[in-house]
Amino acid sequence: MNSYEEIKNILVNIPEEQPIIISGHENADMDSIGASLALAHFLNDIGKKDVNVLISEKDMYKIMWFNNNKFISTNVEKENYVLIMVDVDRKQRLAEFESYFDKANIVINIDHHESNKKHAKYLLIDERISSTCEILFNLFSCFDKKLNKEIASLLYAGILTDTTCFSHRLTAKTMKIISSLLEYEIDYQYITKKTYLERSMLEIYALSKMLNSIKYDVFHYVVIDKKEPVFSNLEYSMLFKKMVPILKNIQEVKVLGIFLIDGDKVFGEFKSNIDIDVSVLARELGGGGHRKSAGFTSSLSLEKILKISKKYIQKSIANT
């Protein structure tokens, strides 16, 4: 893996006119989006002329209030480009943008997941850090270039949401970084409302449905069928990022599983309030993540997924 200084030097030495394409992961959250856009702004500020951020059409609504349209595209036709993956632990999580990985001259991966597969040539990975946005703050600090309010706002949004509103994966350094970002007079109340607190009535109806359908068998879990009207118009990230923290913090919940059935795929997440490593379980199901928060996408039946999950969680609890 590379150091901050090594990645800095690689970025500095990219020719000004060479295309740079930045992509986060599928079903992008605010750490993925915030990191992608903050990096685009910073690279542009240090003289890189051709910077592009790939964001899926279905994720566009998440960034409308950030006014960052000048870098964003759903499709970039470039040659001889550098690809920078941010908040992505394996190339498959690029999903619709995976072909950009295969055709890139150089791939740089900036990420904080324990399950990172290290697919790229250049790697800046620190799984001890709260978020990819925190890694970028450290990287930007290596340059003789100050941030601006827009970059600070994006980094704040990513750290805020990936720490679940500063409730986990925190260090003293994380809070010092937040203090530094606030010095740019960002509108932290607006950002917190838009990225974390605000919910539509449809989201409230969906949350009510989830609360009323929690099951327990070895662990607590909720099954969501995307065909149900209350869920059909809600994006994956809205369900998992805005609803799951509420379910996870129910007093009796030790381990929470959320399983979203969408066609022939099951999208799942595990959250642990006890000392078991759910990233191992997620990897067994084709995914990955953090020790206490991990996800997967699988073509297995829900019954098979539940069987595997119960076996692993039961054994893990017995060993704690």
Side-chain angles (χ1 to χ4, degrees):
M1 289 188 286
N2 300 98
S3 67
Y4 284 102
E5 282 294 332
E6 287 170 334
I7 295 298
K8 171 197 169 182
N9 290 333
I10 292 167
L11 294 176
V12 166
N13 288 307
I14 297 172
E16 288 185 9
E17 302 301 330
Q18 183 169 3
I20 299 172
I21 299 176
I22 302 168
S23 179
H25 57 72
E26 63 179 326
N27 299 310
D29 59 14
M30 204 59 240
D31 189 33
S32 177
I33 291 172
S36 297
L37 292 172
L39 181 57
H41 276 281
F42 191 83
L43 290 174
N44 190 243
D45 286 350
I46 64 170
K48 308 306 175 185
K49 308 294 186 184
D50 193 351
V51 183
N52 312 268
V53 175
L54 291 168
I55 294 182
S56 177
E57 185 68 42
K58 63 184 176 62
D59 291 325
M60 287 293 187
Y61 73 97
K62 301 171 189 174
I63 51 87
M64 295 308 293
W65 49 278
F66 265 126
N67 190 28
N68 282 282
N69 296 337
K70 68 178 180 177
F71 297 114
I72 295 172
S73 178
T74 58
N75 180 47
V76 178
E77 295 184 4
K78 302 284 184 180
E79 295 181 354
N80 302 315
Y81 57 85
V82 174
L83 175 68
I84 307 177
M85 303 193 301
V86 295
D87 202 37
V88 180
D89 64 348
R90 56 196 181 280
K91 72 171 188 172
Q92 290 82 0
R93 286 212 75 200
L94 294 169
E96 65 189 273
F97 302 132
E98 188 176 343
S99 63
Y100 289 91
F101 180 100
D102 299 324
K103 298 174 184 177
N105 277 358
I106 296 172
V107 179
I108 302 167
N109 185 200
I110 302 173
D111 183 39
H112 74 124
H113 292 94
E114 293 98 327
S115 57
N116 194 286
K117 299 298 184 184
K118 302 176 177 60
H119 286 159
K121 181 176 181 179
Y122 299 106
L123 300 161
L124 181 56
I125 300 170
D126 192 341
E127 66 274 5
R128 301 164 300 175
I129 282 182
S130 71
S131 56
T132 302
C133 280
E134 182 172 340
I135 293 177
L136 283 182
F137 179 91
N138 295 335
L139 177 61
F140 297 161
S141 298
C142 296
F143 290 78
D144 294 325
K145 179 74 177 177
K146 287 190 174 182
L147 306 185
N148 57 41
K149 184 176 181 178
E150 196 154 31
I151 294 173
S153 296
L154 290 160
L155 295 179
Y156 176 87
I159 297 171
L160 170 83
T161 53
D162 244 37
T163 59
T164 317
C165 209
F166 309 123
S167 65
H168 75 138
R169 294 184 63 83
L170 286 182
T171 65
K173 188 171 183 180
T174 306
M175 300 313 291
K176 287 178 181 177
I177 290 170
I178 293 300
S179 179
S180 296
L181 296 176
L182 292 176
E183 291 178 4
Y184 290 91
E185 298 184 347
I186 63 174
D187 192 344
Y188 69 91
Q189 290 179 312
Y190 176 77
I191 296 168
T192 303
K193 178 182 178 182
K194 287 295 182 181
T195 61
Y196 192 78
L197 296 177
E198 188 174 77
R199 291 173 178 84
S200 67
M201 286 304 299
L202 181 59
E203 289 168 346
I204 294 299
Y205 293 145
L207 176 60
S208 175
K209 176 82 172 177
M210 294 167 75
L211 285 166
N212 283 294
S213 60
I214 294 178
K215 298 178 181 179
Y216 179 80
D217 185 357
V218 179
F219 69 108
H220 289 85
Y221 65 92
V222 176
V223 177
I224 303 166
D225 192 332
K226 203 72 164 63
K227 291 186 295 186
E228 291 188 54
V230 70
F231 299 121
S232 60
N233 292 318
L234 290 177
E235 291 294 336
Y236 173 98
S237 63
M238 292 300 100
L239 289 166
F240 283 79
K241 287 293 182 179
K242 285 192 170 184
M243 314 299 180
V244 172
I246 295 172
L247 301 173
K248 174 182 178 288
N249 286 306
I250 295 172
Q251 185 176 5
E252 290 77 11
V253 172
K254 294 181 178 179
V255 180
L256 176 70
I258 305 292
F259 306 108
L260 171 64
I261 301 170
D262 191 359
D264 61 352
K265 299 282 188 182
V266 177
F267 299 88
E269 285 199 6
F270 298 104
K271 305 289 183 182
S272 176
N273 291 320
I274 57 177
D275 190 24
I276 71 170
D277 189 348
V278 293
S279 71
V280 175
L281 174 56
R283 285 198 295 274
E284 187 175 347
L285 293 167
H290 303 291
R291 182 176 179 83
K292 292 194 173 184
S293 177
F296 68 91
T297 302
S298 177
S299 298
L300 295 174
S301 68
L302 177 63
E303 291 73 20
K304 181 68 172 175
I305 291 168
L306 285 171
K307 183 178 180 180
I308 293 169
S309 302
K310 290 173 188 177
K311 181 179 179 180
Y312 175 81
I313 292 169
Q314 191 168 44
K315 182 179 178 181
S316 298
I317 290 174
N319 291 333
T320 56

